[in-house]
Amino acid sequence: MAATASKQPWACCKAIPANPNNTDAASTLHYHSTYYGPGELETYKHTQLQQDVKDAKLKIWYPGMWHRPSPRALFRIHLSAMINSGGGDLVLLKLLSNSMIVSSWFHSPTQCHQQMTTLQWQSKLIKTTSNERVYEHTLLSIPSTSQEYEKNNNSDVEEDDWFKDCCVAIDLDTRGEHSHFRKLGDECSETQLYAPSCISLVKIPDSTTMETVEWRPVLCDSTQTCDPAEVDGFKIPITTSDRDDDNEVTSSSSAGKDGTSFLFPHQQDLFKVSTIHPTTIEHNSTQTSHEIMCDFGREILGHVRITILPSNASIPSSSSVEPPIQLRVGETHAEALNDNEEHFEQSIDLCTNGDDNTMWLSSHLLAFRFVRIIIASDDIDPDEVTIACLSQEAEIDNNAGSLDFGPNAPSGNNILDRNIWDCAAATLKLCIHQNFIVDGIKRDRLPWLGDVVVSLMANAYSFHDMECIRWSLSVLGRCGMEKLYGNTNNYALEEEVDARVQVAESHVNGIVDYSLWFFICHWLYQRYFGDESFLRQEWSLLETRLVNLIQWCSDKNKGWFIEHESEWIFIDWTVEGDKSIPLQILWWWALDCAHDLAKSMLLVATDDESKEALNSVVELIKDAQSKLETSLLERDNIQAGYTRHAHLLGVLSGLYSCLDDRASGDWWDPDTSDERGRKSRKLVEESRAALLGKDLAAVATPYMKHLECLSLIRLDERSTALDQVRKYWGGMLETGATTFYEAFNEGEAISDVAAFYDRPLARSLCHAWSAGPCALYPEILLGIRPLSDGWKEWACSPIEGVSSVTSEVNTMCGTIRIDLNQTQLRVSVPDGTTMKLMNKSYEGGLHCIPRSVLISSELTTQWSKKYRNWHYHDKHVIPPNPIIAGHEGIQMTDVPTVFQLPGDETFYMSFIGFDGTGYQSFIAESSDLVQWTKFRLAMGYGEERSFDHGGVVLGAYHYESYHIDAPRVLKKANGDKFLSLYGAYEKKNTYEPDPGYQGLASSSDGMNWKREKDESILSIHGPGEVSNWEKHSIYQPWLVEHDGVYYNFYNAKQMPEWIEQIGMAKSQCLYEWERQNDNPILSVSRDGFDTQFCSDAKVFWDDVEKHWVMFFYGVGRGAAHIMIAFSRDLIHWERDTTPLYQAGGNPSGLDKKYAHKVSLVYNPRNETLYMFYCAVGDEGRGIGLITSKPL
């Protein structure tokens, strides 16, 4: 009976680099990587971890249907140019494996499948370990004469190409008669753990190149022969390998001097052992015993070693007797003092080697800081007893990432900040065990996805150990896969026969929300590490799990994730209120991340079939996500019943932005008056208030505290986040922590921290999900975070008040090095990456930015507060169709600009009127800034063939003062005329016809204006080099005079994307201009309210805060909004990402489409700021008004 290969596609093997400790054959052989099937090595080591935990008597519950590695598998070794056609030469392919070869065959795509040449293998047993054997397999020869070529080749293939792209297939099974296995506990579904089949290439001919090694499991017992027809779709001759079963462990010249030191990766322990001695030792004698209490000064994972030096006293020598001492350990002093076996959380068994009873070791790994030895025998002199620890720590680079706090850190907390960072890093390092991220070193010592969420980010900023994340995600992703329903090629499945029960058994760690975090974790891993090969390896599992959740767990009409009473929804240890709401947000976030991952896979897909399948998945995700968004928007109160967890997840996930986009419509045809839009626009600020407030119950774990602090960072509340880090993690330090805890309630004393799960000593005091400060500090202090996968683009934004801090972050492209001191910010940007700082891009290299120009995003939030909370005026102050004698055909009004004339208290406003033909500028006047009259033409069309023949847009006036609260009084140049820059159009008969131009106009009275210079001063044709961002059109200018230099702020268009951004030009005289080198000075953002446009800058000086203020409008989230940015030097700008005023703010519908193109003036009569703007809505396009105080 033939074996059946798995129906899953061939998978590229996981290559484990050669271990430098495998030196037995260094003198004679070149060891290549060892190859395993994807996830096979990881799941084998994971199963060993589970058994280790059971043997150590840890009190844990570890739900989940865990995958076991396949003992039998096929390997395909793809080779190129394997032999030349000269004929007769021996061809050697030599490899090591942990199994005899069951069968093997050889073929090339160019050969006739029915006329394959028989392979000949020689196999030798070269090593036996306690549970496995190591075999050396040598492929002896393949005839390659011209006669063989002529005999076997039935196609028109050239002889030199005949053996190209050939493939050697090998069937291995570790369950053979010589294979050994480890027996597992009775609670396991199987009683045997067989090692995963693997191969390690030892030698290939010099003329041969190994392309890839592929793997596929074989579903059969060890007595069946694998039929290649089931594997490749066609029949190939099979030759059973020559078995040299009678060989003992022999010396093989081709395998090293003695063949005994080689270990496959799955046989190796992945840690280093160090001997650590106690920092303090205390002795205490009682009537019945003597006790020694040792404090090792910090948390340790390792074995306790107790040495009893020989003395005159008699020590029993038989290894069968009870140990002459007793062992107690504890993460706290109180735990080490506990003698109640009911409260033991770890095994305290001791063992010794043979008859030597002078050295005892703890039988199992222990997590502890304190060790207590009880000596009940008078035969042992306590002074002759020494205690040490053989610690096990991950072999990772301690200096891969760092953060160094200078002597003048914020608020004098540099010592506290450094201690928190170091403690978090120590926590994470201890929780990287056997190449996994385990939850805690006392319990459970196993991977849980919640711990991966936090430690993944912490790892990115500290050790940059990608392998432990890959291993953890590999085993967690295979949890329950045998129970998963779903076929990625057929979304219309059969009826739900007990399907939901099966789905419940397939959840990651047996937890519903962990199945959702699984997709988020993969997205985070790509964002922080950029490991595309891992995504390709794991995609089929991600896809299957995703389709399964959409089909069986998502409401087909509403998109909601369906909950069942039998399923465990965790979220956090204590969540007051309904867990359903944070679960739905996580579901949306998981779908969003899965969508991004699928799109990434589409970028690397090469064949049409793969692209079609991926596009189907993308559409499936979009459909589920769209239904969920609609359901959320239809709620009367979107945030009704929100817990603190729901608010923080809403901020982090990006859900609010998406709901706002969806509610507002497309930017070119928005409708912000929709009630859904009104609700969605309030979400961010309501969550901000909730997270900053005290009304909602606090989070219960460092896991959620990390996410809460991260959400505050995203809200630009970094100072608050920093305070919370110091209070929460600093609170643990106050209890004596040397690593951070599984759970913590602020204010807990040292006597409280050990209890958990209704057990007095159950709390884990070194837990991976508490390592968050490693990631939080760089983000809070320096604003360092990736903006695209693998840090190809990343942000930096130092917070105010930090005098000195340095940081190093490793990325796939190199190390980011940042040194912030009191005078400058020095940044080493790795080649291949781009740093975003204050809206500017910095490519690879060393950059020095003066400290004096830096503005943090948090500071922009603070500065913008006084420009918020506007009061709307019900009607247009200038309607879309004002009645102007001689210009009765005006259909729209736009671009308001208020000014005054010297010695005249009247307010004047220029604006443009569009009559269907082109633009002309008009002027109105007012005494109260509300009622505007006496409309008149200020500047009309230019003559034919001039750059302003299609229209003129006045407004960039030369003012006497640019202080924000100063009167907008025009300044006379040379004492005889007023000057203004203006926008212009060459063409007529359309709205904003490209390309635009800029000109210089003058007036003797401020009412009647004319062209001052015949040529355009700025356009897409010059002066100077015109960059891509401005090549399609130039729009409205804004003029600022400062220190004898004129600044022209203008926006320009880039097509075909239709993106508008703000640039700057300088002049000494207003007639000749030079573009700024690093334009644009304000670019569209990646996400937010100005992703399409940031346009129409109006710049003023704030003499109170001593900075420049730019009012501009952004287009994004379905509409145009009034926004603000700040600068210290007119060149480096930092925006506030939250609009000052959003379209749709006027409930009448006056501005439900667009609110943009502002003019700001301060009225000292009532101490009120008046902001005029172009309001587009139900009443058409006209001039609207909002004020800082109600009128």
Side-chain angles (χ1 to χ4, degrees):
M1 179 178 179
T4 302
S6 166
K7 296 300 182 184
Q8 71 183 65
W10 285 96
C12 287
C13 278
K14 168 74 175 183
I16 309 299
N19 189 327
N21 294 325
N22 287 341
T23 57
D24 61 313
S27 60
T28 56
L29 296 176
H30 174 64
Y31 279 90
H32 295 260
S33 297
T34 299
Y35 292 87
Y36 295 84
E40 294 292 284
L41 171 61
E42 295 91 326
T43 53
Y44 177 77
K45 299 294 283 189
H46 178 248
T47 309
Q48 287 185 322
L49 273 187
Q50 290 176 276
Q51 188 60 32
D52 290 344
V53 164
K54 178 182 181 298
D55 294 343
K57 302 177 184 176
L58 304 188
K59 296 179 180 179
I60 69 163
W61 176 52
Y62 195 54
M65 303 286 294
W66 297 102
H67 177 76
R68 293 283 180 79
S70 174
R72 185 170 181 183
L74 298 173
F75 289 86
R76 289 201 309 197
I77 306 169
H78 290 261
L79 305 168
S80 64
M82 183 169 178
I83 58 175
N84 57 49
S85 58
D89 295 337
L90 287 179
V91 178
L92 295 180
L93 173 64
K94 186 173 292 186
L95 55 87
L96 302 180
S97 79
N98 56 346
S99 166
M100 291 295 294
I101 297 177
V102 178
S103 59
S104 175
W105 58 93
F106 173 85
H107 71 88
S108 167
T110 60
Q111 283 189 279
C112 175
H113 300 147
Q114 284 72 33
Q115 299 179 4
M116 291 298 297
T117 304
T118 301
L119 299 183
Q120 297 180 13
W121 289 90
Q122 181 183 67
S123 299
K124 292 183 179 181
L125 175 64
I126 63 170
K127 180 181 178 182
T128 299
T129 67
S130 60
N131 64 344
E132 278 187 88
R133 293 188 175 188
V134 178
Y135 292 90
E136 177 188 270
H137 305 293
T138 303
L139 182 60
L140 294 178
S141 65
I142 299 176
S144 57
T145 63
S146 299
Q147 291 79 5
E148 283 290 320
Y149 164 74
E150 294 293 340
K151 181 176 71 174
N152 290 326
N153 183 45
N154 294 329
S155 64
D156 296 329
V157 179
E158 294 294 330
E159 185 174 351
D160 287 343
D161 295 331
W162 191 49
F163 278 103
K164 284 184 178 179
D165 301 318
C166 51
C167 166
V168 174
I170 305 169
D171 180 4
L172 298 175
D173 192 344
T174 60
R175 296 170 300 182
E177 58 180 310
H178 294 302
S179 297
H180 296 254
F181 53 84
R182 178 175 180 174
K183 294 183 179 180
L184 301 179
D186 295 337
E187 82 290 347
C188 297
S189 58
E190 298 181 15
T191 58
Q192 299 172 352
L193 173 62
Y194 293 101
S197 298
C198 63
I199 59 174
S200 180
L201 296 180
V202 178
K203 185 178 181 181
I204 56 178
D206 293 339
S207 60
T208 303
T209 302
M210 188 191 71
E211 301 292 339
T212 57
V213 177
E214 295 177 308
W215 170 93
R216 179 187 281 181
V218 178
L219 308 179
C220 65
D221 62 39
S222 57
T223 64
Q224 296 173 317
T225 301
C226 188
D227 183 358
E230 293 289 332
V231 179
D232 293 295
F234 49 76
K235 292 185 178 297
I236 307 172
I238 299 173
T239 301
T240 302
S241 60
D242 298 327
R243 295 177 180 246
D244 191 2
D245 294 341
D246 296 331
N247 279 343
E248 300 295 331
V249 178
T250 60
S251 173
S252 171
S253 61
S254 62
K257 296 179 180 179
D258 57 12
T260 59
S261 65
F262 180 85
L263 290 176
F264 290 111
H266 68 270
Q267 299 169 322
Q268 300 169 20
D269 286 323
L270 304 175
F271 53 79
K272 63 179 180 181
V273 178
S274 303
T275 302
I276 300 176
H277 298 282
T279 57
T280 62
I281 301 174
E282 296 179 359
H283 289 260
N284 181 40
S285 296
T286 67
Q287 292 182 346
T288 58
S289 65
H290 185 90
E291 296 184 358
I292 305 173
M293 176 69 79
C294 300
D295 180 358
F296 283 83
R298 64 177 179 86
E299 282 272 351
I300 292 173
L301 177 64
H303 290 271
V304 177
R305 185 183 69 192
I306 306 157
T307 305
I308 307 172
L309 298 180
S311 64
N312 295 330
S314 165
I315 300 177
S317 59
S318 172
S319 61
S320 63
V321 301
E322 290 294 319
I325 52 178
Q326 295 181 44
L327 173 66
R328 302 288 186 269
V329 297
E331 291 187 300
T332 63
H333 191 271
E335 185 178 5
L337 289 174
N338 171 59
D339 288 320
N340 186 341
E341 293 187 11
E342 181 182 350
H343 300 322
F344 288 170
E345 293 291 333
Q346 306 176 78
S347 168
I348 54 171
D349 295 342
L350 292 168
C351 64
T352 188
N353 292 325
D355 294 333
D356 183 7
N357 283 353
T358 62
M359 182 178 291
W360 295 82
L361 289 174
S362 55
S363 300
H364 304 284
L365 273 181
L366 296 170
F368 61 90
R369 173 180 171 177
F370 297 93
V371 172
R372 181 166 64 106
I373 303 300
I374 304 171
I375 305 171
S377 171
D378 294 334
D379 294 333
I380 299 177
D381 182 354
D383 292 333
E384 301 299 327
V385 176
T386 60
I387 303 163
C389 168
L390 302 180
S391 75
Q392 292 186 6
E393 291 188 356
E395 293 190 89
I396 54 182
D397 184 0
N398 288 330
N399 299 315
S402 65
L403 192 69
D404 184 27
F405 304 90
N408 298 307
S411 305
N413 285 292
N414 55 315
I415 296 176
L416 174 61
D417 293 331
R418 182 178 290 110
N419 289 342
I420 292 174
W421 164 272
D422 290 343
C423 192
T427 302
L428 177 59
K429 185 173 183 180
L430 279 172
C431 290
I432 300 175
H433 176 56
Q434 291 283 24
N435 231 19
F436 293 101
I437 295 173
V438 299
D439 59 339
I441 62 172
K442 181 167 75 175
R443 354 164 316 274
D444 294 340
R445 221 175 286 165
L446 291 165
W448 290 76
L449 197 74
D451 301 274
V452 177
V453 173
V454 177
S455 55
L456 182 156
M457 290 180 269
N459 190 352
Y461 289 97
S462 53
F463 304 117
H464 194 72
D465 182 13
M466 299 170 61
E467 204 65 13
C468 67
I469 304 171
R470 292 175 63 116
W471 280 43
S472 300
L473 289 178
S474 288
V475 299
L476 292 166
R478 285 161 176 77
C479 176
M481 288 303 293
E482 287 81 358
K483 289 289 186 181
L484 278 179
Y485 275 64
N487 181 337
T488 57
N489 296 318
N490 178 15
Y491 299 133
L493 300 183
E494 302 297 328
E495 57 183 319
E496 302 182 22
V497 181
D498 296 327
R500 184 62 196 212
V501 175
Q502 306 280 15
V503 169
E505 293 178 353
S506 74
H507 283 306
V508 176
N509 288 119
I511 302 175
V512 175
D513 37 308
Y514 278 19
S515 283
L516 309 185
W517 275 114
F518 178 68
F519 298 97
I520 301 168
C521 270
H522 268 277
W523 183 91
L524 287 170
Y525 179 61
Q526 292 304 318
R527 179 55 49 104
Y528 283 97
F529 293 91
D531 191 353
E532 185 184 285
S533 64
F534 184 66
L535 176 59
R536 290 199 301 267
Q537 173 186 299
E538 298 296 294
W539 174 250
S540 63
L541 297 178
L542 282 159
E543 183 184 41
T544 302
R545 188 175 291 280
L546 174 68
V547 172
N548 180 72
L549 290 174
I550 292 176
Q551 289 174 330
W552 301 114
C553 304
S554 179
D555 185 289
K556 291 179 172 54
N557 297 315
K558 295 184 177 180
W560 288 89
F561 195 95
I562 304 170
E563 305 163 48
H564 284 250
E565 292 182 359
S566 61
E567 295 177 339
W568 181 12
I569 300 174
F570 172 61
I571 306 297
D572 196 3
W573 279 123
T574 57
V575 179
E576 293 185 8
D578 188 2
K579 289 188 177 183
S580 172
I581 297 172
L583 182 71
Q584 301 308 324
I585 298 175
L586 273 176
W587 176 225
W588 182 90
W589 194 3
L591 290 170
D592 201 51
C593 290
H595 177 270
D596 285 354
L597 294 171
K599 297 291 281 187
S600 296
M601 286 297 297
L602 267 171
L603 293 176
V604 298
T606 56
D607 60 278
D608 292 340
E609 184 178 353
S610 297
K611 292 178 181 179
E612 182 178 356
L614 285 164
N615 280 316
S616 297
V617 173
V618 169
E619 291 305 312
L620 188 70
I621 297 170
K622 288 167 63 176
D623 179 66
Q625 204 172 11
S626 176
K627 290 174 181 175
L628 179 57
E629 291 161 6
T630 300
S631 298
L632 290 170
L633 286 168
E634 288 175 350
R635 300 183 73 197
D636 291 338
N637 181 354
I638 294 176
Q639 292 179 323
Y642 264 38
T643 61
R644 186 171 295 273
H645 302 79
H647 281 291
L648 67 89
L649 291 172
V651 171
L652 287 176
S653 64
L655 172 64
Y656 296 161
S657 301
C658 183
L659 293 181
D660 206 3
D661 283 343
R662 185 176 176 86
S664 300
D666 297 320
W667 71 266
W668 58 86
D669 187 23
D671 184 2
T672 58
S673 66
D674 190 309
E675 181 60 28
R676 300 183 308 172
R678 293 188 183 279
K679 292 186 292 186
S680 67
R681 288 196 297 276
K682 300 176 182 178
L683 296 177
V684 173
E685 293 312 308
E686 289 179 355
S687 282
R688 183 195 304 274
L691 292 171
L692 293 176
K694 303 292 185 182
D695 295 340
L696 297 176
V699 299
T701 57
Y703 161 47
M704 277 292 153
K705 193 65 180 179
H706 168 85
L707 297 175
E708 182 181 12
C709 290
L710 201 59
S711 68
L712 291 171
I713 295 170
R714 296 293 176 267
L715 290 169
D716 287 328
E717 299 287 350
R718 287 193 279 171
S719 293
T720 302
L722 182 58
D723 290 341
Q724 293 201 13
V725 170
R726 289 170 176 165
K727 187 175 181 180
Y728 189 82
W729 279 272
M732 284 188 256
L733 291 181
E734 290 177 0
T735 67
T738 61
T739 53
F740 289 130
Y741 308 156
E742 171 183 17
F744 182 69
N745 296 317
E746 292 180 22
E748 279 187 317
I750 189 170
S751 57
D752 304 323
V753 300
F756 214 56
Y757 299 118
D758 296 323
R759 305 201 304 264
L761 302 170
R763 190 179 307 189
S764 165
L765 301 189
C766 178
H767 220 71
W769 71 19
S770 65
C774 285
L776 292 174
Y777 269 112
E779 282 223 40
I780 291 172
L781 299 180
L782 294 170
I784 311 171
R785 67 186 181 101
L787 300 176
S788 62
D789 288 353
W791 298 80
K792 293 292 186 181
E793 188 172 272
W794 52 279
C796 177
S797 175
I799 194 174
E800 299 298 317
V802 179
S803 296
S804 178
V805 63
T806 61
S807 177
E808 290 190 358
V809 179
N810 274 2
T811 74
M812 295 286 283
C813 298
T815 301
I816 296 169
R817 293 181 176 87
I818 299 178
D819 182 2
L820 177 69
N821 57 45
Q822 294 182 347
T823 61
Q824 66 177 355
L825 173 70
R826 290 171 55 87
V827 185
S828 177
V829 179
D831 290 339
T833 74
T834 301
M835 177 182 69
K836 290 288 187 178
L837 173 67
M838 290 187 64
N839 198 62
K840 291 192 176 296
S841 298
Y842 297 84
E843 306 298 332
L846 180 64
H847 302 275
C848 298
I849 299 99
R851 185 73 184 266
S852 59
V853 306
L854 297 180
I855 299 174
S856 69
S857 56
E858 186 179 45
L859 194 56
T860 64
T861 302
Q862 177 184 328
W863 284 346
S864 67
K865 286 180 180 178
K866 67 180 181 180
Y867 303 110
R868 297 191 177 279
N869 302 315
W870 296 91
H871 303 269
Y872 58 84
H873 187 67
D874 289 338
K875 301 292 185 181
H876 286 125
V877 294
I878 295 182
N881 51 352
I883 298 174
I884 305 175
H887 303 279
E888 289 77 9
I890 293 176
Q891 306 166 5
M892 312 175 191
T893 56
D894 202 340
V895 195
T897 311
V898 175
F899 65 90
Q900 290 179 283
L901 298 175
D904 184 353
E905 292 188 356
T906 304
F907 296 102
Y908 299 94
M909 179 196 294
S910 66
F911 63 94
I912 62 108
F914 179 70
D915 59 5
T917 300
Y919 297 90
Q920 297 183 91
S921 288
F922 299 87
I923 286 179
E925 63 182 73
S926 173
S927 60
D928 63 0
L929 290 168
V930 176
Q931 304 298 325
W932 295 86
T933 59
K934 298 181 180 179
F935 303 117
R936 73 204 77 171
L937 180 67
M939 187 173 180
Y941 300 122
E943 64 273 16
E944 195 171 349
R945 296 185 180 178
S946 64
F947 69 86
D948 55 6
H949 175 63
V952 293
V953 185
L954 279 173
Y957 298 112
H958 185 200
Y959 291 122
E960 289 184 351
S961 173
Y962 289 90
H963 287 196
I964 199 162
D965 55 358
R968 303 286 178 259
V969 178
L970 299 189
K971 180 179 181 179
K972 278 199 172 182
N974 300 321
D976 63 347
K977 57 185 173 183
F978 303 110
L979 294 174
S980 174
L981 308 185
Y982 68 97
Y985 297 94
E986 183 181 24
K987 303 174 185 176
K988 287 187 177 182
N989 299 317
T990 186
Y991 193 78
E992 293 186 350
D994 295 331
Y997 297 81
Q998 289 184 3
L1000 177 64
S1002 63
S1003 172
S1004 59
D1005 59 2
M1007 298 292 107
N1008 301 284
W1009 294 79
K1010 63 180 181 179
R1011 191 190 312 128
E1012 173 71 11
K1013 183 180 179 182
D1014 288 339
E1015 298 82 17
S1016 167
I1017 62 168
L1018 197 75
S1019 73
I1020 65 170
H1021 307 298
E1025 181 180 353
V1026 180
S1027 303
N1028 288 332
W1029 72 276
E1030 57 180 338
K1031 278 190 174 179
H1032 201 79
S1033 190
I1034 299 293
Y1035 291 118
Q1036 182 70 5
W1038 178 257
L1039 179 64
V1040 171
E1041 181 188 6
H1042 177 60
D1043 289 343
V1045 178
Y1046 298 102
Y1047 296 84
N1048 175 2
F1049 296 88
Y1050 65 96
N1051 59 293
K1053 179 194 288 188
Q1054 178 178 340
M1055 295 295 282
E1057 303 91 341
W1058 198 349
I1059 290 174
E1060 294 187 19
Q1061 301 173 100
I1062 298 172
M1064 186 182 71
K1066 295 179 184 179
S1067 174
Q1068 301 293 325
C1069 62
L1070 290 174
Y1071 290 81
E1072 304 296 332
W1073 292 85
E1074 182 180 351
R1075 283 173 159 90
Q1076 177 74 13
N1077 288 333
D1078 52 355
N1079 275 334
I1081 60 167
L1082 195 65
S1083 306
V1084 292
S1085 61
R1086 297 174 59 88
D1087 178 43
F1089 294 90
D1090 55 355
T1091 55
Q1092 199 72 34
F1093 292 6
C1094 56
S1095 301
D1096 203 56
K1098 304 295 168 62
V1099 178
F1100 303 97
W1101 173 253
D1102 187 329
D1103 203 40
V1104 177
E1105 301 289 351
K1106 305 300 181 184
H1107 57 239
W1108 294 94
V1109 185
M1110 177 193 289
F1111 299 91
F1112 69 100
Y1113 78 87
V1115 172
R1117 305 267 171 94
H1121 318 276
I1122 300 170
M1123 304 187 71
I1124 194 168
F1126 302 93
S1127 174
R1128 300 186 194 273
D1129 65 351
L1130 288 171
I1131 298 173
H1132 299 84
W1133 293 87
E1134 184 70 272
R1135 65 167 58 81
D1136 187 333
T1137 56
T1138 303
L1140 298 180
Y1141 182 82
Q1142 291 190 44
N1146 191 320
S1148 70
L1150 190 77
D1151 54 16
K1152 75 176 188 179
K1153 288 191 173 184
Y1154 304 123
H1156 61 333
K1157 302 178 184 176
V1158 307
S1159 175
L1160 187 73
V1161 60
Y1162 178 73
N1163 187 353
R1165 301 169 193 171
N1166 55 6
E1167 297 180 338
T1168 301
L1169 281 171
Y1170 289 67
M1171 184 179 286
F1172 300 91
Y1173 68 103
C1174 180
V1176 185
D1178 290 338
E1179 303 297 324
R1181 180 182 291 261
I1183 308 303
L1185 170 64
I1186 53 179
T1187 55
S1188 61
K1189 295 179 182 179
L1191 299 180

